[in-house]
Amino acid sequence: MSTTVSPPVSFEFFPPNTPVGDAKLKDVVQRLGEVKPEFFSVTYGAGGATRDKTLATVSAIALAGFEAAPHLSCVGSTRENIAEILATYRTQGIRRIVALRGDLPSGTATAGEFRYASELVSFIRETQGPDWHIEVAAYPEYHPQQRYAARDLQHYVHKVKAGASAAITQFFFNSDAYFHFVEETQRLGAEVPVVPGIMPFHNFGRIAQFAARDGIEIPRWVTLKMEGFHDDAASIRAFGLDVVTKLCERLISGGAPGIHFYTMNQSELTLELCRRLKLG
Ligand code: FAD
């Protein structure tokens, strides 16, 4: 029996784009709030597509009494755009942010004034000072656009040294990849906490598509078993919960400093995982 202390938990949302989605998210925030998360984060559409919606969602979460961290991606933006957004957040009392490069929507011509997330991290540190908590993205199975693992690790370390406070990983199902990433990046001098990003199996088909696009391995035995359930939603739910619970147990007992759930704006599976893992 494990005596490991439960690590803090955080939850990620995307900004809803309908009034029904807004109302649903309010309810999801209340339900997940019962777990007493360290913070909720809200994604930011590539190229600023959700700029106002991200801000509105973050404000609504803060108003409900929880810490909220907006994501901010820099590709396609000017320094002036980014400075303006940071100033708005500062006025709202926000001091925590997830700093990303993002991906330009295809067909977009201009890359803007930031090439990599490390440049955004430096910019936030220089302009906002030491009190901001800056999270960056980490990829235990490497970033899909980087052919050479060693280079990806060096770029990550450079990004951390530019002023990151912590990292949140891309979702993964292979705990060895996570522990190897943490060990390697620490050896290279990046000492910040690396919080695993966990994707419950909300919808196996969609998650398999994301995984194929982003170079994330879903173990063959998990895929085959899920596919074998066909439309049996109860078996898919039960098996998915077991797989993700065991993954989190391994991560927590191996010393993961927190768990960040990709909620897809739903509370049910995430709450069940928190209950099983005694998080919060
Ligand atoms: P970077 O750290 O800049 O890395 C991008 C690529 O460039 C990597 O291949 C890296 O190896 C390479 N690289 C870095 N520095 C250099 C250098 N100096 N020279 C050469 N190559 C270099 N996207 C959104 O649009 N909105 C979101 O809200 C969002 N949230 C996310 C949250 C998390 C936790 C994660 C893991 C990802 C999120 N993403 C989001 C996706 C992310 O924007 C993409 O994965 C994007 O392709 C890379 O962003 P990054 O910040 O990791 O980039």
Side-chain angles (χ1 to χ4, degrees):
M1 186 146 123
S2 163
T3 53
T4 316
V5 177
S6 291
V9 65
S10 52
F11 300 121
E12 182 169 314
F13 301 132
F14 56 84
N17 53 15
T18 61
V20 174
D22 282 336
K24 187 183 161 211
L25 189 62
K26 250 188 203 156
D27 179 56
V28 169
V29 166
Q30 284 307 328
R31 284 171 195 268
L32 291 175
E34 283 167 24
V35 179
K36 303 204 180 345
E38 191 180 353
F39 65 97
F40 290 102
S41 82
V42 182
T43 62
Y44 185 84
T50 66
R51 178 181 163 152
D52 295 342
K53 290 297 288 178
T54 298
L55 175 60
T57 309
V58 160
S59 302
I61 293 169
L63 207 66
F66 299 104
E67 180 161 9
H71 294 207
L72 179 60
S73 64
C74 59
V75 70
S77 297
T78 61
R79 290 174 162 256
E80 203 183 334
N81 298 150
I82 296 289
E84 224 175 76
I85 296 169
L86 294 172
T88 309
Y89 285 140
R90 179 166 275 282
T91 316
Q92 305 238 342
I94 304 269
R95 297 287 183 278
R96 180 169 207 144
I97 199 157
V98 183
L100 303 142
R101 183 195 71 176
D103 293 299
L104 277 179
S106 57
T108 314
T110 160
E113 290 180 7
F114 296 87
R115 284 169 308 163
Y116 301 110
S118 55
E119 294 170 4
L120 177 62
V121 172
S122 302
F123 185 75
I124 299 172
R125 259 307 159 239
E126 279 159 24
T127 57
Q128 305 302 318
D131 61 327
W132 281 54
H133 188 96
I134 307 174
E135 330 257 1
V136 292
Y139 302 85
E141 294 174 275
Y142 308 110
H143 186 262
Q145 290 157 13
Q146 180 53 255
R147 176 72 185 79
Y148 300 103
R151 275 193 209 158
D152 204 38
L153 292 177
Q154 279 160 7
H155 295 147
Y156 167 81
V157 171
H158 175 69
K159 176 164 71 173
V160 168
K161 289 186 174 170
S165 320
I168 301 172
T169 75
Q170 175 61 284
F171 75 86
F172 61 89
F173 298 100
N174 182 334
S175 55
D176 286 344
Y178 168 81
F179 289 119
H180 183 71
F181 179 89
V182 171
E183 207 179 295
E184 287 275 272
T185 53
Q186 279 181 351
R187 192 177 53 76
L188 293 168
E191 299 286 347
V192 300
V194 181
V195 175
I198 298 298
M199 180 71 88
F201 281 107
H202 306 283
N203 174 327
F204 180 73
R206 273 187 74 197
I207 288 164
Q209 277 173 359
F210 293 155
R213 182 196 64 194
D214 292 339
I216 296 155
E217 179 201 1
I218 301 182
R220 181 176 155 79
W221 65 272
V222 173
T223 300
L224 290 181
K225 192 141 182 193
M226 283 288 195
E227 287 174 354
F229 290 133
H230 300 287
D231 293 334
D232 177 357
S235 298
I236 291 172
R237 180 184 182 282
F239 178 65
L241 278 168
D242 284 349
V243 169
V244 177
T245 302
K246 284 189 188 124
L247 170 65
C248 292
E249 282 170 352
R250 278 196 295 277
L251 293 168
I252 293 168
S253 65
I259 297 283
H260 181 82
F261 285 103
Y262 293 105
T263 69
M264 306 301 272
N265 293 11
Q266 296 174 39
S267 58
E268 202 264 330
L269 285 182
T270 302
L271 273 178
E272 176 60 18
L273 286 163
C274 290
R275 195 189 60 72
R276 290 181 178 202
L277 294 161
K278 300 188 175 50
L279 293 172

